[in-house]
Amino acid sequence: MGILTGRFLGTGIATTAAGGQTAYRLVAPDRTVANLAIIALESIRWHATEVMYNGLVSAGALDHNVARRARFGDEVLAVLGSNLSLGLPGIIAAQSADGRILGISSHAFWEPKSGSITLQVIDPLFLAGSPGTAQLRGLGTALVAAASRDMLDRGTETVYIHPLDSQAAVFWERRGFASCGGGG
């Protein structure tokens, strides 16, 4: 797997409750064949995780909300790959040194002074409640901060969000955002 190219936005370290750490870099990927291939390969990996989680739910070994969030992540990664192929701006990825996309988000500008963080997901392997791994903490916040910096640089004063569910609403509220409605 390769490393995404594009506008470098910074680095960070995500942590687990057990004290493990994963270094990542934030990048606004360019519209290149190599980047599209990386996202396509990651989409296959994320989809395989979603399928595995659905099997675990059927066996009674996993909470259905984790599988639902994995499906959402799988779908969002595919959509953002399509958006990048169209040249749409506002995509930010958190990628580990070994090339795994750990999280990805998109944001858009609507009116001269408003925009929205439209989609944001974390690799299903690192979601809270995922089997066999620990939740990586800090990735979502880093993606929000990078999108917020880009929006502020462009004069955005109001950012709209629509949390997927109550757990997502808590995430956004803890970062100072007020929901304008649920449902993704």
Side-chain angles (χ1 to χ4, degrees):
M1 190 143 344
I3 298 298
L4 293 168
T5 59
R7 185 167 44 103
F8 175 74
L9 302 172
T11 60
I13 297 177
T15 60
T16 67
Q21 297 183 332
T22 299
Y24 62 88
R25 61 191 287 276
L26 293 169
V27 63
D30 292 331
R31 180 183 171 197
T32 64
V33 171
N35 283 349
L36 295 173
I38 290 167
I39 291 173
L41 288 172
E42 283 293 89
S43 188
I44 291 168
R45 184 177 68 78
W46 285 31
H47 181 72
T49 302
E50 181 224 328
V51 169
M52 176 187 68
Y53 284 6
N54 284 328
L56 291 171
V57 168
S58 296
L62 184 69
D63 182 281
H64 70 80
N65 285 319
V66 178
R68 187 173 62 85
R69 287 178 158 282
R71 179 180 179 99
F72 179 72
D74 172 29
E75 292 171 354
V76 166
L77 186 59
V79 165
L80 295 185
S82 294
N83 288 356
L84 184 61
S85 73
L86 295 171
L88 298 177
I91 298 170
I92 299 172
Q95 189 179 33
S96 66
D98 66 1
R100 286 185 303 167
I101 295 177
L102 302 174
I104 193 163
S105 72
S106 68
H107 58 284
F109 305 95
W110 302 113
E111 300 168 6
K113 301 221 181 252
S114 68
S116 64
I117 298 175
T118 53
L119 298 167
Q120 180 165 305
V121 293
I122 303 300
D123 179 341
L125 287 174
F126 301 110
L127 293 171
S130 297
T133 61
Q135 175 186 4
L136 282 177
R137 301 184 59 81
L139 286 171
T141 300
L143 288 166
V144 168
S148 297
R149 276 192 304 271
D150 190 32
M151 293 174 137
L152 286 170
D153 289 347
R154 295 177 191 228
T156 302
E157 295 175 0
T158 304
V159 176
Y160 296 97
I161 57 160
H162 299 275
L164 177 66
D165 54 29
S166 61
Q167 188 176 357
V170 169
F171 169 85
W172 291 106
E173 287 169 10
R174 288 183 178 165
R175 281 141 194 91
F177 290 86
S179 172
C180 59

